[in-house]
Amino acid sequence: MKKKQLILFCSIMTLFSFIGIHGQTKTPLFTNAIYQGNDQVYIDNPLNSDEFYTPILQGCYPDPAITRKGDDYYMVCSSFAMFPGVPIFHSKDLVNWTDLGGVLDDVNEFNPHDTGISAGVYAPGITYNQYNDTFYMIVTAFSGNLGNIIVKTKDPMKGWGSPIKLDFGGIDPSIFFDDDGKAYIVHNDAPEKGKELYNGHRVIKVWEYDIKNDKVIPGTDKVIVNGGVDITKKPIWIEAPHMYKKDGSYYLMCAEGGTGGWHSEVIFKSDSPKGPFIPAPSNPILTQRYFAKDRKNKVDWAGHADLVKGPNDQYYGVFLAVRPNQENRVNTGRETFILPVDWSGEFPVFENGLIPLEPKLKMPEGATNKTGQDGYFPNGNFTFTDDFTSEKLDYRWIGLRGPREAFIKTSKKGLEINPFETNIKEVKPTSTLFYRQQHNSFSFTTTLEYKPKSKKDLAGVVALQNEGSNYVFGITKKDNDYYLLLQKNKWPFRRGKIISEILASTKINIKDPIALQIKANGDNYEFNYSTNGTDFENVGGIVSGDILSTDVAGGFTGALLGLYATSANDAVLE
């Protein structure tokens, strides 16, 4: 089935599922959603007219890669099992970014329906080849038996071609086009069988790439980095390689140290794309691992970077880092940051990348800060409001393990969600429309019209780190009465069966719409409701956000806030 036919089919089937015998809506109706961020760091650090904030993408937008064609910059990030796959952004100045949706947006070609939230796709690369005027996005897909794939387009604004499977293993691929017309792929891989020296020992490989036939050339693979900068020190997780050419020399930049507290970025140099690559004496060129754990406005885990020549030939690097809350939790996940890069010497160095990172930067010359205006992505403290009446749903709303179009319908009334017979704890597509948590202190509020028919029906909101670490706050039925309940779902220490607990419940009158709210101040989360839209009452007191943090729940994502409906509710009141 072609993509357009699939979209039409999903739309028709979804429409039928929303309409009852007499044409009356019989599904949960969300009439608005309001996300409001209020982090102290932005209050304490207001912008001057020539400044902008970093991270440039707040919330779970990790593993950035970037490329340029003329004055157009395109950046992609990891998405794991979120759908569509590989979010992509466009900018003219590296300050103001437009959300273009996802590169892998055809569920027939990328279908993470049966994968855990931290599987799917991650660590993409994006490169523009000026010699054939084509953009290439390359990524590892942990679903659908895809493996390493590459997709192409002449214009990222108009969509991408179908995935092409590539015949090599490993992860974190990126593609480099030399000025002689040749192409190379570099990627992370395991050492040759029997030669792994320690846990976390990895290598970087290079392949020659056949541009005409879009495949690696068999037998051309070669290990160009073994272990990392200095294998005698047992460096771990050399990964995320990107190759560049400057002044006739080849540079290989990689992440090293694992994507946690020892994360860093390192650089190597060679006279050939196939090595040997010699590490810079100044490595690492970016890290936050050496500083006091209790530093103010802490940014940590910096690494996994990519470089681009920006306005006025000034280099910039995009990279991931985290902003922990006061309990050192990482609920906003790995975010996309940016720094200017000084490449006036032999090796590039991230400017101020080896001191504690600051929340704001000087803008490139000639740029004007329009973030949050004219369709540009916001940053800092901001409010996002949606009444779901627009024909085109904002790209910040995403599905999990499948397309959002499979279960939603927008109209002048608001957003209707057709409940799947799938619980939020299942490794299946869920009928949940998600928005990334982008601040440590925030509120997420929606207004819901809903009348569950049985105890199996539930609709409301969810705060989710993964299928085994989440809170559900929703309306369900017990006998002839309606209740609002708060359920905590948590994996035990060594995984296994998810432990579910109803933390609190309250009987409610659903005659009028009910406002539901998730509110957080750092690690303290509250779940509130209002029957008049103004006065909110708490259910369950203050609960810990620990299970919404990657350092507790595991995995690679940040917390997601969802509008959730299910006909497979298992939070049954006794």
Side-chain angles (χ1 to χ4, degrees), residues 63-65 172 174 204 228-229 236-244 251-268 279-290 301-307 317-321 339 341 347-350 353-354:
D63 308 329
D172 293 11
S174 66
I204 301 298
V229 168
I236 59 172
W237 303 112
I238 191 76
E239 57 191 1
H242 292 280
M243 190 176 287
Y244 314 96
Y251 293 84
L252 182 72
M253 191 172 73
C254 305
E256 188 183 278
T259 186
W262 201 247
H263 207 196
S264 68
E265 199 70 15
V266 296
I267 191 88
F268 306 79
S282 56
N283 281 319
I285 58 174
L286 168 70
T287 191
Q288 294 290 286
R289 67 192 181 199
Y290 298 120
W301 302 9
H304 199 120
D306 195 8
L307 302 179
V318 292
F319 57 97
L320 74 78
L339 278 178
V341 171
F347 292 98
V349 176
F350 285 75
L354 296 173

Side-chain angles (χ1 to χ4, degrees), residues 2 130 198 222 280 562 567:
K2 298 295 185 182
Q130 62 178 326
Y198 52 87
K222 182 182 180 182
S567 60

Side-chain angles (χ1 to χ4, degrees), residues 140-154:
T140 310
F142 291 89
S143 59
N145 196 32
L146 288 174
N148 288 301
I149 58 173
I150 199 164
V151 295
K152 302 187 297 182
T153 185
K154 295 287 187 180

